[in-house]
Amino acid sequence: MKIGAISKATGLGIHTIRFYEKKGLIHRAKKDDSGHRVYNSKDVELLNWIACMKNSGMPLSRIENYAHAFYSDNNLASLNILEDHLNNLYQQQADLQHYIDVTSEKVARLKKP
C-alpha cells in the first residue's frame, strides 16, 4: 500500500507516518519503481496499534519498545508491554470515575437551594 492509502486506512497523517518511520517505529518502506513508499500489511497493523497506544496515553518510548517486539515476533515482550499499559488504563479509568463521582456530588449540592 502507498502512504496515501495507509493514511486513509489508519487515520494518521502522511507526515505522522513519515515521522514514525524516521523514529524507527515502523520499518523503512520499500519504494516502488516511481519512488513512492510501499508498506506491507504488518506495517499497517502496527500503525493502527501505534495510534491506539498513543491516543490512550502510552509514551513514545514504550511504543518504540512495543514496535521492536512486534517486528521481532516477540509475543511475550509484546504481551508484557500491553498488559502493563492495560493496567495503567484501568487505573486511569478508576481515577476518572472518582473525579466524575466527586464532581457530580458537588454539582448536585450546588443545585440545591
Side-chain angles (χ1 to χ4, degrees):
M1 291 179 90
K2 292 185 180 177
I3 196 164
I6 298 296
S7 177
K8 286 181 184 174
T10 62
L12 297 170
I14 290 172
H15 295 292
T16 301
I17 295 168
R18 287 181 182 152
F19 172 76
Y20 290 158
E21 188 176 328
K22 285 178 189 170
K23 289 284 287 178
L25 298 180
I26 61 170
H27 286 162
R28 277 232 183 263
K30 294 182 170 125
K31 297 199 176 179
D32 63 14
D33 292 338
S34 20
H36 295 104
R37 287 176 167 89
V38 178
Y39 298 90
N40 62 38
S41 60
K42 195 162 187 165
D43 298 324
V44 177
E45 181 182 352
L46 181 56
L47 282 167
N48 279 316
W49 269 108
I50 289 171
C52 178
M53 291 182 287
K54 185 172 182 325
N55 289 335
S56 62
M58 184 183 279
L60 208 51
S61 61
R62 291 289 285 165
I63 293 173
E64 187 174 0
N65 292 340
Y66 177 83
H68 292 301
F70 177 83
Y71 278 125
S72 300
D73 291 321
N74 187 338
N75 291 337
L76 182 58
S78 296
L79 177 64
N80 288 336
I81 292 166
L82 291 178
E83 282 183 333
D84 184 50
H85 186 58
L86 184 60
N87 288 332
N88 289 335
L89 290 174
Y90 282 134
Q91 184 58 55
Q92 289 175 19
Q93 182 181 33
D95 293 344
L96 280 173
Q97 188 58 55
H98 169 73
Y99 301 140
I100 289 168
D101 293 344
V102 169
T103 304
S104 293
E105 290 173 17
K106 181 69 172 179
V107 167
R109 282 195 312 263
L110 290 171
K111 284 185 175 181
K112 288 185 181 178

